[in-house]
Amino acid sequence: MTSNTAMAKRQVLPWIGILGLSVVLGSACRPNDSVVDAPLTSPVGEGDPVTLLVGAAASLQGAMEDIQPAFEAAHPDIALGYTFAASGQLQQQIEQGAPIDVFFSAGTSQIEALEAGGYLRPDSRQNLLGNQLVLVVPSTSTLGLTEFNDLTQAEVQQISVGDFGSVPAGQYAEQVLGNLGILEDVRPKLIFANTVREVLAAVASNNVEAGILFATDAATSDQVTVAAIAANTLHDPIVYPVAVVNDTAHPEAALAWVDYLSSEAARAVFIDHGFTVLD
């Protein structure tokens, strides 16, 4: 494996640096024409393996990095690079022409918008995972919060949530607070974050009294405590869909990666990280 490929594997790549990706990622240069009707060609060839750029929701980072070694061992002709961000931000990047090959979202609305716009390869979508929405507090908290309605207490002055417009966990949080009838009461307390990992960091550092995020993210830190789990009836089903981006230069490699995500080996990793695997 060349040093360029190794660099691509190690990096978590934001769109703000996307113009520099052509040096690192073999998938940075795209054809002008759609590949929807193009025949699938083998990614295997002479020289370096092809590199796929996977745009994945921030809450998937740990699982994606754990799955990568086994996939690349089974597919030595394919290397993986990642960019982790809010699903809404990744949607916008794809719409703006970012060289993302596969999109793995934490919500369905972002995938559906891209499908409607013709940005995703037909029939490549799979709904892979589920999750739970939880209320977390710093592990040192003495407020005694045990339910979402407790967020209306005067002692709770700041609540970290994902941005309602771009972060799926924030969108689910808005639904929960709205369906409980407390959204307007707590709105002045809301501190909006760009990703669920930012929500987690705000709570773990004791900068806010509470936060709302996915259960899988809460499980990654011993500096937060889960105070409550949102009932499924309070929000839309939490579904993580994945699909191949229409303009990928490596459709067969991208489809191989998507298929691998539903393999027994990948499912075991997702379960280990606390996700629900959908049939």
Side-chain angles (χ1 to χ4, degrees), residues 12 15 24 42 93 114 121 123 165 205-206 234 243 252 262:
V12 176
W15 173 233
V24 180
S42 173
Q93 291 173 16
L114 289 173
R121 190 178 182 93
D123 302 323
S205 61
N206 212 23
L234 293 176
E252 184 164 311
S262 60

Side-chain angles (χ1 to χ4, degrees), residues 1-13 24-25 61 65 68 72 80-82 84:
M1 180 176 295
T2 67
S3 61
N4 282 353
T5 302
M7 288 172 61
K9 290 172 59 180
R10 291 196 299 268
Q11 291 191 20
V12 176
L13 299 166
V24 180
L25 299 178
Q61 182 168 347
E65 292 174 345
Q68 180 175 354
E72 290 183 340
L80 297 175
Y82 293 116
F84 297 105

Side-chain angles (χ1 to χ4, degrees), residues 108-109 133 164 168-183 212 230-238:
T108 57
S109 63
L133 196 72
F164 288 170
Q171 294 166 343
Y172 296 126
E174 182 181 25
Q175 293 175 2
V176 170
L177 297 174
N179 286 327
L180 288 173
I182 63 173
L183 177 58
I212 303 174
N232 292 336
T233 54
L234 293 176
H235 58 74
D236 292 339
I238 299 175

Side-chain angles (χ1 to χ4, degrees), residues 206-230:
N206 212 23
N207 286 328
V208 296
E209 284 77 32
I212 303 174
L213 71 168
F214 291 129
T216 51
D217 294 290
T220 66
S221 175
D222 59 5
Q223 295 178 296
V224 303
T225 299
V226 174
I229 300 173

Side-chain angles (χ1 to χ4, degrees), residues 128-132 216 238 240 270-271 273-278:
L128 291 183
L129 305 174
N131 211 331
Q132 291 181 305
T216 51
I238 299 175
Y240 285 64
F270 287 129
I271 291 171
H273 280 264
F275 291 96
T276 301
V277 176
L278 304 180

